[in-house]
Amino acid sequence: MAAGRCFFCEALHNPHDDETNFVLHRAAHNFVILNRYPYISGHLMIAPNQHLAELDAAAKEVTDEMMDLAKRCQSALREVYQPNGFNLGMNLGQAAGAGVAEHFHMHLMPRWSGDTNFMSTVGDTRVLPEDLATTFRKLKSKF
Ligand SMILES: [Zn+2]
């Protein structure tokens, strides 16, 4: 897929659409965006500004900032949602479950004890306790 048609690059290169693309924060080398198809409310993604498929192809300053942003996202999620825990990770490559394999990104999501009950899926429709615009508004104020 060309960089111009990549979901992350499209969001990155249209700064006036941050609210509709749910871009929460832009840093020097990365940006923070809500997952449109979240497994749970507050499912955030941190992606590099560079269109890169591989984590080990990214410069140290990029991945260092990515981890700093993960910390900031954790603080924001904790303040807004008071979760019992977090999942943080990456799916690198299609075989590993990456939705957008050509532009790597980190996932961070809050977790609650027993939350697997309302995470259950019916067909392709995920059951969500909160709409994305609400999540965006709540978290935006923390960045
Ligand atoms: Zn891209």
mmCIF file of all heavy atoms in Angstrom, residues 6 9 51 103, ligand 1:
data_model
loop_
_atom_site.group_PDB
_atom_site.id
_atom_site.type_symbol
_atom_site.label_atom_id
_atom_site.label_comp_id
_atom_site.label_asym_id
_atom_site.label_seq_id
_atom_site.Cartn_x
_atom_site.Cartn_y
_atom_site.Cartn_z
ATOM 1 N N CYS A 6 -2.215 5.060 3.311
ATOM 2 C CA CYS A 6 -2.110 4.398 4.608
ATOM 3 C C CYS A 6 -2.988 5.152 5.609
ATOM 4 O O CYS A 6 -2.983 6.373 5.664
ATOM 5 C CB CYS A 6 -0.647 4.398 5.035
ATOM 6 S SG CYS A 6 -0.358 4.166 6.781
ATOM 7 N N CYS A 9 -0.917 7.528 7.810
ATOM 8 C CA CYS A 9 -0.385 8.678 7.062
ATOM 9 C C CYS A 9 -1.500 9.643 6.683
ATOM 10 O O CYS A 9 -1.309 10.859 6.724
ATOM 11 C CB CYS A 9 0.370 8.194 5.824
ATOM 12 S SG CYS A 9 1.928 7.388 6.248
ATOM 13 N N HIS A 51 6.455 6.588 7.733
ATOM 14 C CA HIS A 51 5.761 5.388 7.254
ATOM 15 C C HIS A 51 6.740 4.216 7.261
ATOM 16 O O HIS A 51 7.456 3.985 6.299
ATOM 17 C CB HIS A 51 5.228 5.650 5.844
ATOM 18 C CG HIS A 51 4.421 4.512 5.280
ATOM 19 N ND1 HIS A 51 3.095 4.311 5.600
ATOM 20 C CD2 HIS A 51 4.759 3.531 4.414
ATOM 21 C CE1 HIS A 51 2.646 3.247 4.942
ATOM 22 N NE2 HIS A 51 3.639 2.751 4.219
ATOM 23 N N HIS A 103 2.658 0.184 8.499
ATOM 24 C CA HIS A 103 2.986 1.354 9.330
ATOM 25 C C HIS A 103 2.843 0.902 10.784
ATOM 26 O O HIS A 103 1.737 0.827 11.310
ATOM 27 C CB HIS A 103 2.020 2.504 8.987
ATOM 28 C CG HIS A 103 2.449 3.845 9.513
ATOM 29 N ND1 HIS A 103 2.286 5.016 8.787
ATOM 30 C CD2 HIS A 103 3.021 4.202 10.683
ATOM 31 C CE1 HIS A 103 2.749 6.034 9.510
ATOM 32 N NE2 HIS A 103 3.188 5.569 10.664
HETATM 33 ZN ZN ZN B 1 1.770 5.203 6.823
#
